[in-house]
Amino acid sequence: AQSVTQPDIHITVSEGASLELRCNYSYGATPYLFWYVQSPGQGLQLLLKYFSGDTLVQGIKGFEAEFKRSQSSFNLRKPSVHWSDAAEYFCAVGDFNKFYFGSGTKLNVKP
Amino acid sequence: DGGITQSPKYLFRKEGQNVTLSCEQNLNHDAMYWYRQDPGQGLRLIYYSQIVNDFQKGDIAEGYSVSREKKESFPLTVTSAQKNPTAFYLCASSTRGTSGSNEQFFGPGTRLTVL
């Protein structure tokens, strides 16, 4: 069965520090992978997506993610976090006409 | 501007009442979705529709109903049969696809509270 795991519920980083949010998926074929960001009380905004080709994908707001098939992972990274990055981040895998979302990682940014 | 609108932003309901959440999109998308979001549980799919006059149950459809009479609109009714309806509800839309590669666009959400 398809599933997405985000093992970190909360992460706190200092402003300017690097960030990595973990995502592991379970899927039987080539996955379509997405990262979304959600500010409190808002909808979700797409950060980036992976379909095929280059395993390192660039997104908006300076985010990138790397697809590693051998590890079934699609981790999100940012070299230098800004206070405005504080939000909740969701990883998702697309399957035919449905998405499966992870439970999310809440990012806090310390000044 | 193209996008998805959900109304109302906040909704209060008494126990035993049905309530309908609105979702409208002007992106010309064929597919629309309803998700429920609870703290620590991510997004769970309630219903989805790939085309007008057709819809399918998602993972947690019990106590909910939908209709898809128009391409732009996909209202969700939370019935009195839903045992724990207090949650944040998100509507999304996408182009129609069968591969899972179609990005979903989200509305701003409706927070439903049962009193």
Side-chain angles (χ1 to χ4, degrees):
Chain A
Q2 297 81 356
S3 67
V4 177
T5 302
Q6 294 180 245
D8 303 306
I9 299 174
H10 288 99
I11 282 185
T12 298
V13 300
S14 297
E15 191 168 15
S18 64
L19 170 70
E20 183 169 30
L21 302 182
R22 295 184 290 166
C23 172
N24 294 98
Y25 66 90
S26 173
Y27 193 74
T30 300
Y32 299 101
L33 295 162
F34 304 81
W35 273 102
Y36 284 85
V37 61
Q38 183 182 35
S39 297
Q42 301 296 318
L44 276 67
Q45 180 185 20
L46 181 71
L47 285 175
L48 48 78
K49 57 190 176 186
Y50 170 78
F51 292 168
S52 64
D54 193 348
T55 56
L56 185 64
V57 293
Q58 302 296 322
I60 63 171
K61 305 185 181 187
F63 285 92
E64 65 178 27
E66 185 172 14
F67 170 62
K68 292 186 177 180
R69 184 186 299 276
S70 62
Q71 298 177 20
S72 296
S73 69
F74 188 55
N75 294 348
L76 182 71
R77 302 195 295 243
K78 187 169 185 179
S80 177
V81 169
H82 187 263
W83 64 266
S84 61
D85 293 323
E88 191 160 17
Y89 293 80
F90 292 93
C91 181
V93 61
D95 174 46
F96 294 101
N97 48 23
K98 295 198 292 185
F99 273 25
Y100 293 88
F101 285 87
S103 55
T105 298
K106 281 191 178 174
L107 173 65
N108 294 321
V109 180
K110 291 192 301 184
Chain B
D1 286 336
I4 303 176
T5 57
Q6 291 186 242
S7 60
K9 187 168 179 64
Y10 299 96
L11 188 56
F12 298 90
R13 187 194 96 176
K14 292 182 180 178
E15 279 193 35
Q17 289 181 338
N18 292 355
V19 63
T20 298
L21 282 59
S22 169
C23 178
E24 305 275 335
Q25 55 98 359
N26 60 4
L27 299 168
N28 200 32
H29 286 164
D30 286 306
M32 297 186 75
Y33 310 81
W34 274 106
Y35 293 92
R36 171 181 171 137
Q37 186 176 21
D38 297 281
Q41 295 195 49
L43 279 71
R44 293 183 289 168
L45 184 63
I46 305 172
Y47 270 97
Y48 62 101
S49 168
Q50 288 288 304
I51 198 167
V52 173
N53 292 322
D54 188 43
F55 49 83
Q56 287 77 43
K57 292 182 179 180
D59 302 315
I60 56 164
E62 185 176 351
Y64 300 97
S65 66
V66 293
S67 63
R68 186 84 189 276
E69 297 176 0
K70 298 187 298 181
K71 187 175 183 178
E72 315 82 67
S73 178
F74 191 41
L76 173 74
T77 297
V78 184
T79 75
S80 56
Q82 169 49 233
K83 290 181 171 47
N84 185 20
T86 294
F88 190 54
Y89 290 88
L90 286 161
C91 179
S93 71
S94 73
T95 55
R96 186 180 176 193
T98 56
S99 66
S101 63
N102 302 79
E103 171 191 346
Q104 293 190 9
F105 294 79
F106 284 82
T110 292
R111 184 165 299 281
L112 172 64
T113 303
V114 174
L115 304 173

